[in-house]
Amino acid sequence: MSTAPSDDMIVKGWLVKLGAIHKTWKKRWFSNSASEPFVLAYYTDETCRAKKGQVSLREVYSFRITVENKDKGDKQRTQISLSTHDRDWKMRADGDRAGELWTAGINRLMQQVVKERKKPDDPTPTGAAATTTTAAIPTPVASTPATTPATTPATTSPATSAELYATAIAGYTSTNSNELSFQRGDRLKIIDKEDQDGWWAAEFNGQRGWVSSFYVTLDPK
């Protein structure tokens, strides 16, 4: 896989894809374009003449990237699962370098999908500081929010039987004043996740604001 130096949103390279009807794995050339960066089309080869299908990343509501142990040929395998309402797409990148590049490329594109979604305009409320720790975490497991919140996180926490925490599976830099910035492995206190359609109210480093569930996974209770 390679990324065009003039546009880091362009990704292309070989993946092995599982068929939807005939459950066999076939090697396909995947690529997006500057005109449609969030559409991953796949072809029989690099000439891109015989298009076999496409994946719309804007329709993906969750994805999973896992790294398997090296095979008999001493190659690392990176499994990529993209879930839409119509289909669960399963692809595989063979080799350490290909896996690293596809992981970075998919994460980069999906982060842009999240940033395109409209976010609340109200300023970030203040609140009590949450206790934070840094934890090493494995491969990303992420879910994109289906819709955006219509309100601002409350300044007081709802009554709960136990405090709820989540660990960041990817770093995020806020683009609005009412969002939280954090790094991969950071632990955030979740204040409310019941009715915000994927945007959760959270506390981190003494600040309260919105965090997309795309970037965090709930800690076991």
Side-chain angles (χ1 to χ4, degrees), residues 88-137:
D88 289 327
W89 297 84
K90 297 186 182 299
M91 289 87 77
R92 186 184 76 229
D94 292 333
D96 296 17
R97 183 57 176 164
E100 291 172 359
L101 290 173
W102 273 114
T103 297
I106 294 293
N107 275 312
R108 186 167 59 247
L109 289 167
M110 293 308 300
Q111 286 175 12
Q112 291 300 317
V113 169
V114 170
K115 288 182 179 181
E116 277 193 349
R117 301 175 189 272
K118 185 179 179 181
K119 304 180 185 70
D121 298 325
D122 298 329
T124 305
T126 57
T131 301
T132 62
T133 61
T134 301
I137 57 176

Side-chain angles (χ1 to χ4, degrees), residues 51-98:
K51 183 177 178 180
K52 305 297 291 184
Q54 65 183 38
V55 186
S56 174
L57 296 182
R58 285 195 174 99
E59 296 177 6
V60 172
Y61 64 84
S62 70
F63 76 88
R64 180 187 296 267
I65 300 176
T66 57
V67 178
E68 296 182 346
N69 294 331
K70 294 185 177 182
D71 60 19
K72 294 181 180 179
D74 202 34
K75 287 185 178 181
Q76 178 176 285
R77 288 183 170 182
T78 301
Q79 300 286 351
I80 302 170
S81 298
L82 304 172
S83 296
T84 68
H85 293 290
D86 297 326
R87 178 177 173 181
D88 289 327
W89 297 84
K90 297 186 182 299
M91 289 87 77
R92 186 184 76 229
D94 292 333
D96 296 17
R97 183 57 176 164

